[in-house]
Amino acid sequence: MAGEDHIDDRKEANKLVVSHPAVPVDRREFVPVRRKEDDFPTGQETESMLIRRMFVYGFASLFLFVVIYLFLYDPGLLLYKLTGWASTLTLSGLIVFSSIVALVLFLVILLFRYLMLMNMAYLNTTKHTVETGHDTSFLPPISIIVPAYNEGKLLESTVQSLLGMDYPKYEIILVDDGSSDDTREVARTLVGSYRSGSVEVRLVEKPNGGKSTALNAGIQVSYYDFLLNVDGDSQLSSDTLRKTIRHFVDPRLGAIAGNVKVLNRDNIWTTLQALEYVEGLNMARSAQSIVKLVNIIPGPLGLFRKQAILDAGWYSSDTFAEDADITLKIIRAGWRVEYEPDAKSFTEAPDRIVDLLKQRYRWTRGILQAVRKHRDLFFNPTINFGGSIVMWMMAFESLIWPIMNVFANAYFIFIALVFDMSYYLVYWWLSLTILDLIAALYCVAVEKEEVRLVFYSLFYRLFFILMIDVTKTFATIEEFLGFGMNWGKLERIGTGSKR
């Protein structure tokens, strides 16, 4: 937070008028991604494609039914004549056996996923811990971009946290994206020079066009070659700039993802999100960082090399997840993306279940839009091999895994009730809980987090994650069906202003 020496500067700041360079501000309206007619075959081609699909799927289904029928009933003792084995399998036995196999396979996949992430995260943490020799003299000036839409409650505390950072020279560019509250008025009172001129706060006012256009507008008027993009409600740790900029001595590095933490941990929903950020998001970013392929630079904290954003073609307005989209574009442009655990941004999380589910719905559809936009990376690693790896990881985490988790839980509960296999289900859920408990202990220890978060891991997966995955599943279905949606806006409660 800003110190007492900023008070006099604030008085001076209100008297100053900051001029902007003669650069055109990005005023494009926000337009969500739409399905283009060119993406789908039409006319005779469509009819031919549908006929082929019906034939292939019908033949495959028929073949499967024939195999099952042979194993169940063995008409004319055909199976016995071919193999010498008598058919002893019943329909109920087949369902029970396949369910047990599915339970084990699901647990094995989950165990492999967790062990892989934990081991890669451990390697990255070890590397981060023992790595020394950073060039402490590498402290280039930085432009901090703060896009704000209806952030009047938190904007001043955000700027005060930015003014209190331990760094010699930087500028803060506030971008009011056509707010309907008092954001613009609050921002105007913050404009000026601080800390004897080493920090300058400027303001860009523009019509509402979405976060991506606000970020582009801030980048267009920025003076410096390194950009810290943060949200209007972010509260940053004082050493954030020093912790992140040191990595950019590597000329191949395009961006650094920061460590995002939940600020308002005052009810069960926000506390579960705090655990999710630590275990579900930060551990994954740490694992990805060991191969320099972090797949999403979070909106609350990301430091970029300006040239990487220029190479990527700026932020785009055609998805609801501009952070995922810009990360994929930077990676496919050949830049590396890493994670810095000591650069922390505290953000306000949804404190109501309805707001939480709306947020995750938008996140999921936005990520799927970004994946669809860059789908050429799936099967063409010659474009960028690292990008292809990232795309498959994102597809698994955002598309395959949530649907598989929901289906598995529903199916296993049904089988347990119908075939009296509830004891297997209890063992399965117990195994998942132990796995989450181990992961929570590791993540809490590594990040020096609140120990009480470990307790919430006991019902984290079976309650919270399942609920989130149901939302992701519906979002996935509606995205592929082309349902419309709007951006939405989380109602702030002003937790940051109370710190």
Side-chain angles (χ1 to χ4, degrees), residues 236-305:
L236 272 57
S237 54
S238 61
D239 58 352
T240 293
L241 293 180
R242 288 183 180 270
K243 293 292 186 181
T244 50
I245 196 64
R246 59 184 181 173
H247 296 273
F248 284 89
V249 293
D250 180 359
R252 298 167 295 180
L253 184 65
I256 284 283
N259 184 345
V260 181
K261 292 183 175 295
V262 173
L263 177 62
N264 53 322
R265 308 179 184 190
D266 46 13
N267 65 29
I268 187 172
W269 302 117
T270 54
T271 306
L272 282 168
Q273 288 174 81
L275 176 61
E276 179 196 23
Y277 276 51
V278 172
E279 180 182 337
L281 301 179
N282 292 337
M283 182 174 72
R285 289 194 183 107
S286 183
Q288 295 160 4
S289 186
I290 196 68
V291 291
K292 322 293 185 186
L293 292 173
V294 176
N295 60 10
I296 297 180
I297 303 166
L301 178 54
L303 184 64
F304 299 81
R305 193 185 299 271

Side-chain angles (χ1 to χ4, degrees), residues 374-389:
H374 300 278
R375 60 185 178 272
D376 57 331
L377 287 172
F378 271 121
F379 303 106
N380 190 359
T382 59
I383 298 175
N384 185 287
F385 183 72
S388 296
I389 295 175

Side-chain angles (χ1 to χ4, degrees), residues 454-466:
V454 177
F455 167 76
Y456 287 87
S457 68
L458 297 177
F459 45 90
Y460 168 72
R461 177 164 303 280
L462 302 181
F463 172 61
F464 180 76
I465 291 299
L466 182 59

Side-chain angles (χ1 to χ4, degrees), residues 408-446:
N409 278 276
Y411 175 73
F412 294 149
I413 291 173
F414 172 78
I415 294 299
L417 294 175
V418 174
F419 294 96
D420 192 25
M421 293 175 56
S422 56
Y423 48 92
Y424 283 113
L425 194 63
V426 171
Y427 293 151
W428 180 65
W429 277 345
L430 183 61
S431 300
L432 296 182
T433 302
I434 293 173
L435 191 59
D436 278 317
L437 183 64
I438 294 171
L441 283 168
Y442 166 78
C443 293
V444 166
V446 167

Side-chain angles (χ1 to χ4, degrees), residues 158 161-162 165 228-240 244 257-263 265 277 282 285 298-302 339-348 449 499:
T158 295
S161 77
L162 297 176
M165 288 196 293
L228 181 72
N229 294 343
V230 301
D231 285 345
D233 66 312
S234 299
Q235 308 287 310
L236 272 57
S237 54
S238 61
D239 58 352
T240 293
T244 50
N259 184 345
V260 181
K261 292 183 175 295
V262 173
L263 177 62
R265 308 179 184 190
Y277 276 51
N282 292 337
R285 289 194 183 107
L301 178 54
Y339 168 70
E340 173 51 65
D342 290 335
K344 299 173 184 177
S345 174
F346 295 88
T347 188
E348 194 174 272
E449 267 284 0
R499 287 189 84 203

Side-chain angles (χ1 to χ4, degrees), residues 325-345:
D325 181 43
I326 192 66
T327 307
L328 286 173
K329 292 199 293 185
I330 287 173
I331 289 175
R332 74 182 292 159
W335 295 94
R336 293 179 172 183
V337 180
E338 297 183 19
Y339 168 70
E340 173 51 65
D342 290 335
K344 299 173 184 177
S345 174

Side-chain angles (χ1 to χ4, degrees), residues 277 281 321 358-368:
Y277 276 51
L281 301 179
K358 284 181 179 178
Q359 182 195 62
R360 300 316 167 86
Y361 175 89
R362 178 176 62 81
W363 284 7
T364 301
R365 290 196 61 172
I367 291 172
L368 291 176

